[in-house]
Amino acid sequence: MTGDEGPERGAAVLQAIRSRRVVRAMTAEPIDRETLETVLDAARWAPTAGNRHLQRFVVTDDAGVLRVLRAVSPGMLPRPAAAITICTDRGLAAGYGFPPDAPGPFVDVGTAMATILLAAHALGVGAGPVTSSSRAAVAKVLRLPDSWRPELVVCLGHPGPSSPPPVHGRPGLTWRDLTRWVTRDRPS
Ligand SMILES: Cc1cc2nc3c(=O)[nH]c(=O)nc-3n(C[C@H](O)[C@H](O)[C@H](O)COP(=O)(O)O)c2cc1C
């Protein structure tokens, strides 16, 4: 604790978690560099397996690169103003002794993604993840080193007028539907 995590801060964090939605309609307005850097700094604080930080963040706000990135990503519905591609440095992972199918580095992609989505939301920037891309094509357009595997692209942009309202996407779904308590004697 740093002393500024009072009840109000806690409520604000919980409200940000609840109100975040994937944004799939984005305007052409650019995202300023300082905002992008704040989002990237937040990603740096995401928890990682063994505190190894195997992920690398490849950022572009170049319209030409973004156009090609979108062309090789069928799941990319927005026309983003910027994109952060989360890559895993598989050479680094192997060097630390992670087998290729170790869960940690995959989970790390998710913690980075969730942190980026929340940071963007906190800054009023729309964001949406895309896994439906051609990995080989993404690696080529971003000129990635051989050992960097692109895992997921986060689109960023100012929310467009047809963005969904800030309510949860699955009305009626509660944490109880997703949860099972277990005691020593029996599950309930
Ligand atoms: C690992 C992962 C991959 C996703 N891939 C895509 C994608 O390719 N295209 C897309 O439009 N949304 C994608 N999404 C967004 C989900 O569809 C979205 O989170 C879900 O519909 C719930 O919406 P909400 O986050 O606004 O509550 C992905 C989400 C995750 C966690």
Side-chain angles (χ1 to χ4, degrees):
M1 300 285 277
T2 59
D4 62 352
E5 286 94 351
E8 281 173 26
R9 171 67 60 90
V13 171
L14 288 171
Q15 174 56 17
I17 290 170
R18 290 191 188 109
S19 61
R20 182 211 55 78
R21 292 292 316 284
V22 163
V23 171
R24 297 191 178 92
M26 297 174 178
T27 70
E29 188 190 342
I31 300 176
D32 62 72
R33 192 52 69 96
E34 194 185 341
T35 301
L36 284 175
E37 289 179 1
T38 303
V39 170
L40 291 160
D41 179 58
R44 171 259 174 276
W45 290 101
T48 65
N51 205 14
R52 295 302 194 188
H53 293 275
L54 304 172
Q55 275 62 45
R56 296 294 176 265
F57 304 102
V58 181
V59 196
T60 186
D61 56 4
D62 179 283
V65 175
L66 287 165
R67 205 173 307 119
V68 182
L69 202 54
R70 188 164 182 268
V72 300
S73 304
M76 190 181 289
L77 304 180
R79 293 178 196 281
I84 300 173
T85 301
I86 304 174
C87 304
T88 300
D89 185 336
R90 290 164 58 78
L92 198 57
Y96 280 125
F98 286 99
D101 60 349
F106 290 107
V107 175
D108 292 350
V109 175
T111 64
M113 178 207 73
T115 304
I116 289 171
L117 295 183
L118 267 181
H121 179 51
L123 295 165
V125 172
V130 176
T131 45
S132 168
S133 302
S134 158
R135 273 208 174 117
V138 170
K140 197 165 176 195
V141 67
L142 297 177
R143 299 188 298 275
L144 300 182
D146 285 348
S147 68
W148 291 20
R149 186 174 64 186
E151 309 279 11
L152 186 146
V153 181
V154 183
C155 299
L156 297 163
H158 296 281
S162 58
S163 295
V167 294
H168 196 277
R170 293 274 305 270
L173 184 71
T174 75
W175 66 268
R176 290 185 183 81
D177 300 317
L178 307 173
T179 305
R180 184 173 183 183
W181 294 97
V182 174
T183 62
R184 192 147 40 120
D185 301 329
R186 62 183 167 78
S188 57

PDB file of all heavy atoms in Angstrom, residues 20-22 24 75 77 113 129-132 152 168-169, ligand 1:
ATOM      1  N   ARG A  20     -16.095  -0.944 -18.057  1.00  0.00           N
ATOM      2  CA  ARG A  20     -15.315  -1.131 -19.284  1.00  0.00           C
ATOM      3  C   ARG A  20     -16.059  -2.016 -20.286  1.00  0.00           C
ATOM      4  O   ARG A  20     -16.646  -3.008 -19.914  1.00  0.00           O
ATOM      5  CB  ARG A  20     -13.962  -1.791 -18.961  1.00  0.00           C
ATOM      6  CG  ARG A  20     -13.078  -1.969 -20.174  1.00  0.00           C
ATOM      7  CD  ARG A  20     -12.193  -3.179 -20.046  1.00  0.00           C
ATOM      8  NE  ARG A  20     -12.936  -4.393 -19.774  1.00  0.00           N
ATOM      9  CZ  ARG A  20     -13.608  -5.080 -20.696  1.00  0.00           C
ATOM     10  NH1 ARG A  20     -13.643  -4.681 -21.947  1.00  0.00           N
ATOM     11  NH2 ARG A  20     -14.270  -6.187 -20.362  1.00  0.00           N
ATOM     12  N   ARG A  21     -16.068  -1.587 -21.533  1.00  0.00           N
ATOM     13  CA  ARG A  21     -16.627  -2.416 -22.604  1.00  0.00           C
ATOM     14  C   ARG A  21     -15.658  -2.431 -23.771  1.00  0.00           C
ATOM     15  O   ARG A  21     -14.951  -1.449 -23.998  1.00  0.00           O
ATOM     16  CB  ARG A  21     -17.971  -1.827 -23.112  1.00  0.00           C
ATOM     17  CG  ARG A  21     -19.114  -1.879 -22.126  1.00  0.00           C
ATOM     18  CD  ARG A  21     -19.576  -3.283 -21.845  1.00  0.00           C
ATOM     19  NE  ARG A  21     -19.704  -4.121 -23.039  1.00  0.00           N
ATOM     20  CZ  ARG A  21     -20.696  -4.051 -23.907  1.00  0.00           C
ATOM     21  NH1 ARG A  21     -21.653  -3.168 -23.770  1.00  0.00           N
ATOM     22  NH2 ARG A  21     -20.730  -4.852 -24.946  1.00  0.00           N
ATOM     23  N   VAL A  22     -15.666  -3.516 -24.509  1.00  0.00           N
ATOM     24  CA  VAL A  22     -14.903  -3.530 -25.752  1.00  0.00           C
ATOM     25  C   VAL A  22     -15.530  -2.521 -26.716  1.00  0.00           C
ATOM     26  O   VAL A  22     -16.743  -2.505 -26.893  1.00  0.00           O
ATOM     27  CB  VAL A  22     -14.902  -4.950 -26.362  1.00  0.00           C
ATOM     28  CG1 VAL A  22     -14.500  -4.910 -27.831  1.00  0.00           C
ATOM     29  CG2 VAL A  22     -13.945  -5.835 -25.587  1.00  0.00           C
ATOM     30  N   ARG A  24     -15.851  -1.174 -30.497  1.00  0.00           N
ATOM     31  CA  ARG A  24     -15.631  -1.643 -31.873  1.00  0.00           C
ATOM     32  C   ARG A  24     -15.944  -0.575 -32.905  1.00  0.00           C
ATOM     33  O   ARG A  24     -15.867  -0.832 -34.098  1.00  0.00           O
ATOM     34  CB  ARG A  24     -16.464  -2.900 -32.136  1.00  0.00           C
ATOM     35  CG  ARG A  24     -16.067  -4.077 -31.254  1.00  0.00           C
ATOM     36  CD  ARG A  24     -16.708  -5.378 -31.706  1.00  0.00           C
ATOM     37  NE  ARG A  24     -16.268  -6.489 -30.885  1.00  0.00           N
ATOM     38  CZ  ARG A  24     -16.910  -6.903 -29.797  1.00  0.00           C
ATOM     39  NH1 ARG A  24     -18.017  -6.306 -29.411  1.00  0.00           N
ATOM     40  NH2 ARG A  24     -16.442  -7.925 -29.086  1.00  0.00           N
ATOM     41  N   GLY A  75     -10.806 -10.502 -37.295  1.00  0.00           N
ATOM     42  CA  GLY A  75     -11.549 -10.152 -36.067  1.00  0.00           C
ATOM     43  C   GLY A  75     -11.466  -8.676 -35.721  1.00  0.00           C
ATOM     44  O   GLY A  75     -12.049  -8.243 -34.731  1.00  0.00           O
ATOM     45  N   LEU A  77     -12.719  -5.410 -36.041  1.00  0.00           N
ATOM     46  CA  LEU A  77     -13.870  -4.679 -36.570  1.00  0.00           C
ATOM     47  C   LEU A  77     -13.630  -3.177 -36.603  1.00  0.00           C
ATOM     48  O   LEU A  77     -14.009  -2.511 -37.554  1.00  0.00           O
ATOM     49  CB  LEU A  77     -15.126  -5.032 -35.755  1.00  0.00           C
ATOM     50  CG  LEU A  77     -15.431  -6.542 -35.707  1.00  0.00           C
ATOM     51  CD1 LEU A  77     -16.678  -6.813 -34.887  1.00  0.00           C
ATOM     52  CD2 LEU A  77     -15.577  -7.117 -37.106  1.00  0.00           C
ATOM     53  N   MET A 113      -3.196  -7.757 -21.513  1.00  0.00           N
ATOM     54  CA  MET A 113      -4.367  -7.281 -22.252  1.00  0.00           C
ATOM     55  C   MET A 113      -5.367  -6.602 -21.326  1.00  0.00           C
ATOM     56  O   MET A 113      -5.837  -5.484 -21.595  1.00  0.00           O
ATOM     57  CB  MET A 113      -5.052  -8.453 -22.968  1.00  0.00           C
ATOM     58  CG  MET A 113      -6.292  -8.052 -23.714  1.00  0.00           C
ATOM     59  SD  MET A 113      -7.463  -9.417 -23.883  1.00  0.00           S
ATOM     60  CE  MET A 113      -8.096  -9.530 -22.201  1.00  0.00           C
ATOM     61  N   PRO A 129      -9.674  -6.052 -27.882  1.00  0.00           N
ATOM     62  CA  PRO A 129      -8.662  -7.052 -28.237  1.00  0.00           C
ATOM     63  C   PRO A 129      -9.044  -7.835 -29.488  1.00  0.00           C
ATOM     64  O   PRO A 129     -10.219  -8.022 -29.778  1.00  0.00           O
ATOM     65  CB  PRO A 129      -8.659  -7.992 -27.021  1.00  0.00           C
ATOM     66  CG  PRO A 129     -10.044  -7.895 -26.469  1.00  0.00           C
ATOM     67  CD  PRO A 129     -10.590  -6.547 -26.852  1.00  0.00           C
ATOM     68  N   VAL A 130      -8.038  -8.286 -30.199  1.00  0.00           N
ATOM     69  CA  VAL A 130      -8.265  -9.117 -31.391  1.00  0.00           C
ATOM     70  C   VAL A 130      -7.259 -10.260 -31.380  1.00  0.00           C
ATOM     71  O   VAL A 130      -6.045 -10.035 -31.300  1.00  0.00           O
ATOM     72  CB  VAL A 130      -8.053  -8.286 -32.681  1.00  0.00           C
ATOM     73  CG1 VAL A 130      -8.185  -9.157 -33.915  1.00  0.00           C
ATOM     74  CG2 VAL A 130      -9.031  -7.125 -32.747  1.00  0.00           C
ATOM     75  N   THR A 131      -7.787 -11.485 -31.405  1.00  0.00           N
ATOM     76  CA  THR A 131      -6.893 -12.636 -31.546  1.00  0.00           C
ATOM     77  C   THR A 131      -7.023 -13.253 -32.937  1.00  0.00           C
ATOM     78  O   THR A 131      -6.203 -14.073 -33.320  1.00  0.00           O
ATOM     79  CB  THR A 131      -7.195 -13.729 -30.498  1.00  0.00           C
ATOM     80  OG1 THR A 131      -8.596 -13.915 -30.431  1.00  0.00           O
ATOM     81  CG2 THR A 131      -6.642 -13.371 -29.144  1.00  0.00           C
ATOM     82  N   SER A 132      -8.097 -12.859 -33.621  1.00  0.00           N
ATOM     83  CA  SER A 132      -8.333 -13.435 -34.932  1.00  0.00           C
ATOM     84  C   SER A 132      -7.504 -12.680 -35.977  1.00  0.00           C
ATOM     85  O   SER A 132      -7.977 -11.744 -36.615  1.00  0.00           O
ATOM     86  CB  SER A 132      -9.832 -13.351 -35.239  1.00  0.00           C
ATOM     87  OG  SER A 132     -10.060 -13.642 -36.576  1.00  0.00           O
ATOM     88  N   LEU A 152      -1.697 -11.171 -29.544  1.00  0.00           N
ATOM     89  CA  LEU A 152      -2.985 -10.482 -29.471  1.00  0.00           C
ATOM     90  C   LEU A 152      -2.763  -9.006 -29.805  1.00  0.00           C
ATOM     91  O   LEU A 152      -1.758  -8.422 -29.405  1.00  0.00           O
ATOM     92  CB  LEU A 152      -3.505 -10.639 -28.034  1.00  0.00           C
ATOM     93  CG  LEU A 152      -4.880 -10.144 -27.659  1.00  0.00           C
ATOM     94  CD1 LEU A 152      -5.488 -11.071 -26.602  1.00  0.00           C
ATOM     95  CD2 LEU A 152      -4.841  -8.736 -27.118  1.00  0.00           C
ATOM     96  N   HIS A 168     -22.610  -3.848 -18.800  1.00  0.00           N
ATOM     97  CA  HIS A 168     -21.966  -5.130 -19.065  1.00  0.00           C
ATOM     98  C   HIS A 168     -22.622  -5.836 -20.240  1.00  0.00           C
ATOM     99  O   HIS A 168     -23.823  -5.764 -20.443  1.00  0.00           O
ATOM    100  CB  HIS A 168     -21.999  -6.025 -17.818  1.00  0.00           C
ATOM    101  CG  HIS A 168     -21.024  -7.151 -17.950  1.00  0.00           C
ATOM    102  ND1 HIS A 168     -21.327  -8.302 -18.624  1.00  0.00           N
ATOM    103  CD2 HIS A 168     -19.734  -7.256 -17.575  1.00  0.00           C
ATOM    104  CE1 HIS A 168     -20.261  -9.091 -18.631  1.00  0.00           C
ATOM    105  NE2 HIS A 168     -19.290  -8.473 -17.995  1.00  0.00           N
ATOM    106  N   GLY A 169     -21.793  -6.504 -21.044  1.00  0.00           N
ATOM    107  CA  GLY A 169     -22.270  -7.112 -22.275  1.00  0.00           C
ATOM    108  C   GLY A 169     -23.164  -8.330 -22.097  1.00  0.00           C
ATOM    109  O   GLY A 169     -23.810  -8.743 -23.040  1.00  0.00           O
TER     110      GLY A 169
HETATM  111  C1  LIG B   1      -8.765 -13.429 -25.691  1.00  0.00           C
HETATM  112  C2  LIG B   1      -9.821 -12.544 -26.307  1.00  0.00           C
HETATM  113  C3  LIG B   1      -9.932 -12.464 -27.689  1.00  0.00           C
HETATM  114  C4  LIG B   1     -10.871 -11.626 -28.274  1.00  0.00           C
HETATM  115  N1  LIG B   1     -10.902 -11.527 -29.643  1.00  0.00           N
HETATM  116  C5  LIG B   1     -11.769 -10.649 -30.207  1.00  0.00           C
HETATM  117  C6  LIG B   1     -11.766 -10.447 -31.626  1.00  0.00           C
HETATM  118  O1  LIG B   1     -10.997 -11.059 -32.374  1.00  0.00           O
HETATM  119  N2  LIG B   1     -12.643  -9.537 -32.136  1.00  0.00           N
HETATM  120  C7  LIG B   1     -13.515  -8.839 -31.339  1.00  0.00           C
HETATM  121  O2  LIG B   1     -14.285  -8.023 -31.853  1.00  0.00           O
HETATM  122  N3  LIG B   1     -13.547  -9.019 -29.992  1.00  0.00           N
HETATM  123  C8  LIG B   1     -12.691  -9.891 -29.412  1.00  0.00           C
HETATM  124  N4  LIG B   1     -12.695 -10.058 -28.038  1.00  0.00           N
HETATM  125  C9  LIG B   1     -13.633  -9.272 -27.208  1.00  0.00           C
HETATM  126  C10 LIG B   1     -14.777 -10.106 -26.628  1.00  0.00           C
HETATM  127  O3  LIG B   1     -15.640 -10.503 -27.662  1.00  0.00           O
HETATM  128  C11 LIG B   1     -15.490  -9.261 -25.571  1.00  0.00           C
HETATM  129  O4  LIG B   1     -14.625  -9.093 -24.469  1.00  0.00           O
HETATM  130  C12 LIG B   1     -16.779  -9.890 -25.100  1.00  0.00           C
HETATM  131  O5  LIG B   1     -17.720  -9.856 -26.145  1.00  0.00           O
HETATM  132  C13 LIG B   1     -17.372  -9.183 -23.896  1.00  0.00           C
HETATM  133  O6  LIG B   1     -17.548  -7.817 -24.147  1.00  0.00           O
HETATM  134  P1  LIG B   1     -17.085  -6.743 -23.064  1.00  0.00           P
HETATM  135  O7  LIG B   1     -15.611  -6.953 -22.849  1.00  0.00           O
HETATM  136  O8  LIG B   1     -17.423  -5.432 -23.681  1.00  0.00           O
HETATM  137  O9  LIG B   1     -17.883  -7.006 -21.818  1.00  0.00           O
HETATM  138  C14 LIG B   1     -11.768 -10.895 -27.451  1.00  0.00           C
HETATM  139  C15 LIG B   1     -11.660 -10.989 -26.055  1.00  0.00           C
HETATM  140  C16 LIG B   1     -10.685 -11.782 -25.489  1.00  0.00           C
HETATM  141  C17 LIG B   1     -10.577 -11.841 -23.973  1.00  0.00           C
END
